[in-house]
Amino acid sequence: MILHISHNDLDGVTCGVLTKRFLKDVDHTFCNYNEIDLILEEVSLRKYDQILITDMSPSKRGLKEILGEIEVLVIDHHETSDWLTELTPTVHDITKCATMLTYEWLEGQGIDVSEYKDLVECVNDYDMWHLKRKESLQMNMLFMKLGVERYLERFSRRGFNGFTEDEALIVELETERRDKYLYAAGKSIEMLKDAQGMDIALVYAEEYNSELGNYIIQEIGVDYVVLINMQRRKVSLRSRKDVDVRTIAEMNGGGGHKNAAGFSLDFEFNTMDFLKNAGILDES
């Protein structure tokens, strides 16, 4: 029996799609970056033969809690997980999304996963923010509307060779709503200077973080965007190509990529205190 722990975004859940479709006896848990250590602490190791972790990584403390007790395989593409290769079997490549790495790992096990090639390439195009395929943004829209469980069930039954009629309607309606949302959210931003003198845009938003961050950077020309989701107690960071926001996320217990990262918030939250404590604004 395998316990598959993965991130709860499009990339992480599609890793789950592949293991649900092609591996036997798999339990799935999808979570945020800050939840994985707690899951590892509470898991009943006697129930499983292996733990597979994709699109995220535990802390050294969290991993050492279970090393020697159970086999652990990590498949991840974040730069912050390169240290894992010293402790446990790890598939690590920052040039591909975790879904693509999981697909290739399954291929390496002699499994014919070719029917999922289009879905995997679509997710890779979105998660690595290449956006060369029209379906990439649309796939993420569908994921957000279906939710984790419905998306998992739908795509673990069959691969992707175009949206069904119902899915295409969902995407069309959501595209119209997204465009209105981006326009409205873009008008409610607050402009600030960070502690290093860079221009930042602060905005409260509950969805479409990548699209909204990209929209604000292109339309306004800021160095990076701080997107605060009060409902989910989460901060997302998006930046210009030459600005690294991953370090801000890591300072606050999160992670991600150079230009797209995030972390969770405490329940006691004050915007200005948060910006200072996160090292974004000067303490003065």
Side-chain angles (χ1 to χ4, degrees):
M1 189 75 171
I2 299 172
L3 173 61
H4 183 182
I5 306 171
S6 195
H7 194 203
N8 57 6
D9 67 352
L10 175 66
D11 187 21
V13 177
T14 311
C15 293
V17 165
L18 294 175
T19 58
K20 183 177 175 65
R21 174 68 177 81
F22 294 108
L23 298 179
K24 295 180 180 179
D25 299 324
V26 182
D27 283 345
H28 293 89
T29 296
F30 301 100
C31 61
N32 284 317
Y33 296 118
N34 65 322
E35 297 171 321
I36 186 170
D37 280 359
L38 182 60
I39 291 170
L40 291 176
E41 286 175 14
E42 295 182 345
V43 66
S44 174
L45 298 181
R46 278 185 247 174
K47 185 178 177 182
Y48 301 104
D49 303 305
Q50 181 187 44
I51 293 179
L52 172 63
I53 301 172
T54 56
D55 197 32
M56 62 195 318
S57 60
S59 68
K60 286 186 179 180
R61 180 185 60 81
L63 183 60
K64 286 179 178 178
E65 285 288 325
I66 59 172
L67 283 181
E69 301 291 329
I70 190 171
E71 179 184 345
V72 180
L73 171 66
V74 180
I75 301 176
D76 191 32
H77 65 133
H78 299 95
E79 289 187 20
T80 49
S81 61
D82 59 356
W83 59 270
L84 285 160
T85 56
E86 301 172 4
L87 297 178
T88 194
T90 304
V91 178
H92 183 258
D93 185 344
I94 64 172
T95 67
K96 303 172 183 177
C97 75
T99 293
M100 179 67 77
L101 295 178
T102 303
Y103 178 88
E104 292 174 349
W105 173 72
L106 289 167
E107 274 189 320
Q109 308 302 304
I111 300 172
D112 181 7
V113 291
S114 57
E115 66 181 286
Y116 278 80
K117 186 173 186 289
D118 272 358
L119 177 62
V120 169
E121 290 181 348
C122 187
V123 173
N124 188 70
D125 189 58
Y126 175 81
D127 196 69
M128 300 304 292
W129 209 241
H130 300 314
L131 302 186
K132 294 180 180 179
R133 296 172 57 121
K134 179 182 177 182
E135 302 96 336
S136 300
L137 288 171
Q138 295 174 336
M139 184 62 72
N140 191 58
M141 284 182 188
L142 183 64
F143 168 74
M144 289 194 299
K145 297 313 291 182
L146 292 181
V148 170
E149 294 304 325
R150 287 193 183 95
Y151 177 88
L152 183 68
E153 287 302 318
R154 184 272 184 244
F155 284 101
S156 62
R157 288 196 302 269
R158 64 186 185 279
F160 176 68
N161 57 359
F163 296 111
T164 66
E165 185 176 343
D166 288 342
E167 290 165 354
L169 178 58
I170 291 172
V171 166
E172 181 183 347
L173 294 173
E174 189 60 16
T175 300
E176 294 175 3
R177 193 182 74 82
R178 180 205 62 186
D179 291 345
K180 292 176 182 176
Y181 178 81
L182 295 184
Y183 180 76
K187 288 191 159 189
S188 63
I189 65 174
E190 183 175 354
M191 301 295 298
L192 298 164
K193 288 274 189 187
D194 76 358
Q196 283 72 47
M198 286 194 284
D199 293 317
I200 64 174
L202 175 69
V203 61
Y204 289 90
E206 295 180 356
E207 52 189 337
Y208 288 114
N209 291 329
S210 292
E211 291 90 337
L212 180 55
N214 193 50
Y215 172 80
I216 292 172
I217 288 168
Q218 288 186 345
E219 293 296 316
I220 301 175
V222 297
D223 294 303
Y224 64 95
V225 184
V226 180
L227 303 111
I228 301 176
N229 184 336
M230 291 301 297
Q231 184 180 36
R232 296 180 61 193
R233 295 286 174 175
K234 182 178 178 182
V235 174
S236 296
L237 304 163
R238 299 295 184 270
S239 69
R240 292 190 290 109
K241 290 200 172 186
D242 57 334
V243 176
D244 188 350
V245 290
R246 184 183 61 240
T247 53
I248 297 174
E250 290 171 1
M251 284 169 52
N252 294 277
H257 303 283
K258 175 182 175 182
N259 304 119
F263 57 95
S264 297
L265 292 169
D266 294 330
F267 280 91
E268 294 297 327
F269 179 76
N270 174 282
T271 302
M272 297 310 293
D273 287 343
F274 148 70
L275 291 170
K276 292 175 182 178
N277 293 334
I280 295 172
L281 290 187
D282 239 324
E283 293 284 349
S284 56

Short mmCIF file of all heavy atoms in Angstrom, two decimals, residues 78-101:
data_model
loop_
_atom_site.label_atom_id
_atom_site.label_comp_id
_atom_site.label_asym_id
_atom_site.label_seq_id
_atom_site.Cartn_x
_atom_site.Cartn_y
_atom_site.Cartn_z
N HIS A 78 10.97 21.89 -7.32
CA HIS A 78 11.34 23.15 -6.69
C HIS A 78 12.83 23.14 -6.32
O HIS A 78 13.36 22.12 -5.87
CB HIS A 78 10.50 23.39 -5.44
CG HIS A 78 9.03 23.49 -5.73
ND1 HIS A 78 8.18 22.42 -5.63
CD2 HIS A 78 8.27 24.54 -6.14
CE1 HIS A 78 6.95 22.80 -5.96
NE2 HIS A 78 6.98 24.08 -6.28
N GLU A 79 13.47 24.28 -6.48
CA GLU A 79 14.90 24.37 -6.18
C GLU A 79 15.18 24.05 -4.71
O GLU A 79 16.24 23.53 -4.36
CB GLU A 79 15.43 25.77 -6.51
CG GLU A 79 15.50 26.03 -8.01
CD GLU A 79 16.17 27.35 -8.32
OE1 GLU A 79 16.90 27.86 -7.46
OE2 GLU A 79 15.98 27.85 -9.44
N THR A 80 14.22 24.35 -3.85
CA THR A 80 14.42 24.17 -2.41
C THR A 80 14.44 22.71 -1.98
O THR A 80 14.73 22.41 -0.82
CB THR A 80 13.30 24.89 -1.62
OG1 THR A 80 12.03 24.54 -2.18
CG2 THR A 80 13.48 26.40 -1.71
N SER A 81 14.17 21.79 -2.88
CA SER A 81 14.15 20.37 -2.50
C SER A 81 15.38 19.61 -2.98
O SER A 81 15.44 18.38 -2.85
CB SER A 81 12.88 19.69 -3.05
OG SER A 81 12.85 19.76 -4.46
N ASP A 82 16.40 20.31 -3.50
CA ASP A 82 17.56 19.59 -4.02
C ASP A 82 18.36 18.86 -2.94
O ASP A 82 19.05 17.88 -3.21
CB ASP A 82 18.47 20.52 -4.82
CG ASP A 82 19.00 21.69 -3.99
OD1 ASP A 82 18.60 21.82 -2.81
OD2 ASP A 82 19.81 22.47 -4.53
N TRP A 83 18.23 19.30 -1.68
CA TRP A 83 18.94 18.65 -0.57
C TRP A 83 18.43 17.24 -0.27
O TRP A 83 19.11 16.43 0.35
CB TRP A 83 18.82 19.49 0.70
CG TRP A 83 17.39 19.71 1.14
CD1 TRP A 83 16.58 20.73 0.77
CD2 TRP A 83 16.62 18.89 2.00
NE1 TRP A 83 15.33 20.61 1.34
CE2 TRP A 83 15.34 19.48 2.10
CE3 TRP A 83 16.88 17.70 2.70
CZ2 TRP A 83 14.31 18.92 2.88
CZ3 TRP A 83 15.86 17.15 3.47
CH2 TRP A 83 14.59 17.76 3.55
N LEU A 84 17.22 16.94 -0.74
CA LEU A 84 16.61 15.64 -0.44
C LEU A 84 17.39 14.47 -1.02
O LEU A 84 17.34 13.35 -0.50
CB LEU A 84 15.18 15.61 -0.99
CG LEU A 84 14.14 16.41 -0.19
CD1 LEU A 84 12.93 16.72 -1.05
CD2 LEU A 84 13.75 15.65 1.05
N THR A 85 18.11 14.71 -2.12
CA THR A 85 18.85 13.63 -2.77
C THR A 85 19.89 13.00 -1.84
O THR A 85 20.30 11.86 -2.05
CB THR A 85 19.54 14.14 -4.04
OG1 THR A 85 20.38 15.25 -3.71
CG2 THR A 85 18.51 14.60 -5.07
N GLU A 86 20.30 13.74 -0.81
CA GLU A 86 21.30 13.22 0.13
C GLU A 86 20.69 12.27 1.16
O GLU A 86 21.41 11.52 1.81
CB GLU A 86 21.97 14.39 0.86
CG GLU A 86 22.67 15.39 -0.05
CD GLU A 86 23.15 16.60 0.70
OE1 GLU A 86 23.00 16.63 1.94
OE2 GLU A 86 23.68 17.54 0.07
N LEU A 87 19.35 12.35 1.33
CA LEU A 87 18.71 11.60 2.41
C LEU A 87 17.81 10.46 1.94
O LEU A 87 17.68 9.45 2.63
CB LEU A 87 17.89 12.55 3.28
CG LEU A 87 18.66 13.65 4.02
CD1 LEU A 87 17.70 14.54 4.79
CD2 LEU A 87 19.69 13.05 4.97
N THR A 88 17.17 10.63 0.78
CA THR A 88 16.18 9.63 0.36
C THR A 88 16.10 9.63 -1.17
O THR A 88 16.46 10.64 -1.81
CB THR A 88 14.81 9.96 0.97
OG1 THR A 88 13.94 8.83 0.83
CG2 THR A 88 14.17 11.18 0.33
N PRO A 89 15.67 8.53 -1.80
CA PRO A 89 15.52 8.52 -3.25
C PRO A 89 14.65 9.68 -3.74
O PRO A 89 13.54 9.91 -3.23
CB PRO A 89 14.83 7.17 -3.51
CG PRO A 89 15.27 6.30 -2.39
CD PRO A 89 15.37 7.21 -1.19
N THR A 90 15.17 10.45 -4.69
CA THR A 90 14.52 11.68 -5.12
C THR A 90 14.64 11.85 -6.62
O THR A 90 15.71 11.67 -7.20
CB THR A 90 15.16 12.90 -4.43
OG1 THR A 90 15.09 12.73 -3.02
CG2 THR A 90 14.43 14.18 -4.81
N VAL A 91 13.53 12.20 -7.26
CA VAL A 91 13.53 12.64 -8.66
C VAL A 91 13.40 14.16 -8.62
O VAL A 91 12.38 14.69 -8.16
CB VAL A 91 12.36 12.02 -9.45
CG1 VAL A 91 12.35 12.54 -10.88
CG2 VAL A 91 12.44 10.49 -9.43
N HIS A 92 14.43 14.86 -9.10
CA HIS A 92 14.46 16.31 -8.97
C HIS A 92 14.93 16.95 -10.26
O HIS A 92 16.01 16.64 -10.76
CB HIS A 92 15.37 16.73 -7.81
CG HIS A 92 15.39 18.20 -7.56
ND1 HIS A 92 16.41 19.03 -7.96
CD2 HIS A 92 14.48 19.00 -6.95
CE1 HIS A 92 16.15 20.27 -7.61
NE2 HIS A 92 14.99 20.28 -6.99
N ASP A 93 14.11 17.85 -10.82
CA ASP A 93 14.46 18.56 -12.05
C ASP A 93 13.64 19.84 -12.08
O ASP A 93 12.41 19.80 -12.17
CB ASP A 93 14.15 17.68 -13.26
CG ASP A 93 14.61 18.31 -14.58
OD1 ASP A 93 14.88 19.53 -14.61
OD2 ASP A 93 14.69 17.58 -15.59
N ILE A 94 14.33 20.98 -12.02
CA ILE A 94 13.60 22.27 -11.94
C ILE A 94 13.08 22.72 -13.30
O ILE A 94 12.37 23.72 -13.38
CB ILE A 94 14.48 23.37 -11.34
CG1 ILE A 94 15.70 23.66 -12.23
CG2 ILE A 94 14.92 23.02 -9.93
CD1 ILE A 94 16.51 24.88 -11.80
N THR A 95 13.38 22.00 -14.37
CA THR A 95 12.95 22.41 -15.71
C THR A 95 11.61 21.82 -16.11
O THR A 95 11.10 22.13 -17.18
CB THR A 95 14.00 22.03 -16.77
OG1 THR A 95 14.07 20.60 -16.89
CG2 THR A 95 15.37 22.59 -16.41
N LYS A 96 11.06 20.93 -15.27
CA LYS A 96 9.78 20.29 -15.58
C LYS A 96 8.88 20.33 -14.36
O LYS A 96 9.36 20.35 -13.23
CB LYS A 96 10.00 18.83 -16.00
CG LYS A 96 10.94 18.64 -17.17
CD LYS A 96 11.26 17.17 -17.38
CE LYS A 96 12.26 16.97 -18.52
NZ LYS A 96 12.63 15.56 -18.70
N CYS A 97 7.58 20.31 -14.59
CA CYS A 97 6.66 20.27 -13.46
C CYS A 97 6.65 18.88 -12.84
O CYS A 97 7.15 17.91 -13.43
CB CYS A 97 5.24 20.68 -13.89
SG CYS A 97 4.36 19.42 -14.84
N ALA A 98 6.08 18.77 -11.65
CA ALA A 98 6.06 17.49 -10.95
C ALA A 98 5.22 16.44 -11.69
O ALA A 98 5.53 15.24 -11.65
CB ALA A 98 5.53 17.68 -9.52
N THR A 99 4.18 16.89 -12.36
CA THR A 99 3.36 15.96 -13.15
C THR A 99 4.19 15.31 -14.25
O THR A 99 4.12 14.09 -14.47
CB THR A 99 2.16 16.70 -13.77
OG1 THR A 99 1.27 17.11 -12.73
CG2 THR A 99 1.40 15.81 -14.74
N MET A 100 4.99 16.11 -14.94
CA MET A 100 5.86 15.56 -16.00
C MET A 100 6.88 14.60 -15.41
O MET A 100 7.14 13.53 -15.98
CB MET A 100 6.57 16.70 -16.72
CG MET A 100 7.51 16.26 -17.83
SD MET A 100 6.65 15.50 -19.25
CE MET A 100 5.99 16.98 -20.05
N LEU A 101 7.45 14.94 -14.26
CA LEU A 101 8.44 14.06 -13.62
C LEU A 101 7.80 12.75 -13.16
O LEU A 101 8.41 11.68 -13.27
CB LEU A 101 9.09 14.77 -12.44
CG LEU A 101 9.93 16.00 -12.77
CD1 LEU A 101 10.46 16.64 -11.49
CD2 LEU A 101 11.08 15.65 -13.70
#
